[in-house]
Amino acid sequence: MTDVKQQVKDIEKTIDFNKNRYQVNLTTNHGPIHLEFFPDVAPGHVKNMISLTKAGFYNNLSFHRVIKGFMIQGGCPKGSGIGGPGYTIPAEFNNRPHEPGVLSMARTNDPNSAGSQFFICLERVPYLDGQYTVFGRTADKESLETVKKIGEVKTGPQDRPIDSVTITKAEVVETPL
């Protein structure tokens, strides 16, 4: 995967939260996951995911880490949990709680190290509140059911699914306000 930094910067300029509502739809080999966003508390993270999606970054990536009762994590171009888009974005910690279906950004110990990896909570995870940037959630019941189904897959070392859990396609849906 090549560095998409400039492409993302160019796409970000076209995103207008005052004119449009954005949703990202992930087609996975376990079902659909529709994500809605919280641009009011994490506009940089929302713009980043929308831009990466429009650039085709998430197509054919996997959910490389699944921890039953905790979360599913995807967005690593290497499929290993150590890859990213070639840049990082600053944290936007907020008061939104980590509840089932909540979309949050993965990072290293450095709060400003998020890039492309995200996770979706399977349960309420209060100890993550204020420590990771919440920037969206599953948009409907079917999406949460897909997330929970992925959360039940068999895993091996490093919480990697035994059978691949793939995002075959990621698309942005833009709706005028």
Side-chain angles (χ1 to χ4, degrees), residues 53-64:
T53 301
K54 284 187 171 192
F57 186 87
Y58 292 113
N59 293 336
N60 301 309
L61 295 189
S62 65
F63 280 98
H64 62 275

Side-chain angles (χ1 to χ4, degrees), residues 61-79:
L61 295 189
S62 65
F63 280 98
H64 62 275
R65 190 169 177 224
V66 174
I67 302 176
K68 190 179 223 165
F70 177 35
M71 59 88 203
I72 66 173
Q73 184 172 329
C76 175
K78 297 179 179 182

Side-chain angles (χ1 to χ4, degrees), residues 26 28-35 63 65-73 98-102 119-125 137-155 161 165:
L26 305 176
T28 78
N29 61 341
H30 284 67
I33 301 173
H34 302 142
L35 300 169
F63 280 98
R65 190 169 177 224
V66 174
I67 302 176
K68 190 179 223 165
F70 177 35
M71 59 88 203
I72 66 173
Q73 184 172 329
H98 285 80
E99 298 176 324
V102 158
F119 63 93
I120 305 172
C121 296
L122 295 166
E123 299 296 335
R124 173 82 175 102
V125 193
R137 69 175 170 223
T138 50
D140 52 47
K141 184 179 175 190
E142 181 183 28
S143 297
L144 184 57
E145 287 171 2
T146 299
V147 168
K148 291 196 177 260
K149 189 185 328 178
I150 293 169
E152 294 293 322
V153 300
K154 286 189 169 78
T155 57
V165 180

Side-chain angles (χ1 to χ4, degrees), residues 5 9 15 19 34 76 98-99 105 107 133 156:
K5 185 176 183 177
K9 277 185 170 184
I15 297 170
K19 291 185 179 172
H34 302 142
C76 175
H98 285 80
E99 298 176 324
M105 199 56 116
R107 61 173 178 80
T133 301

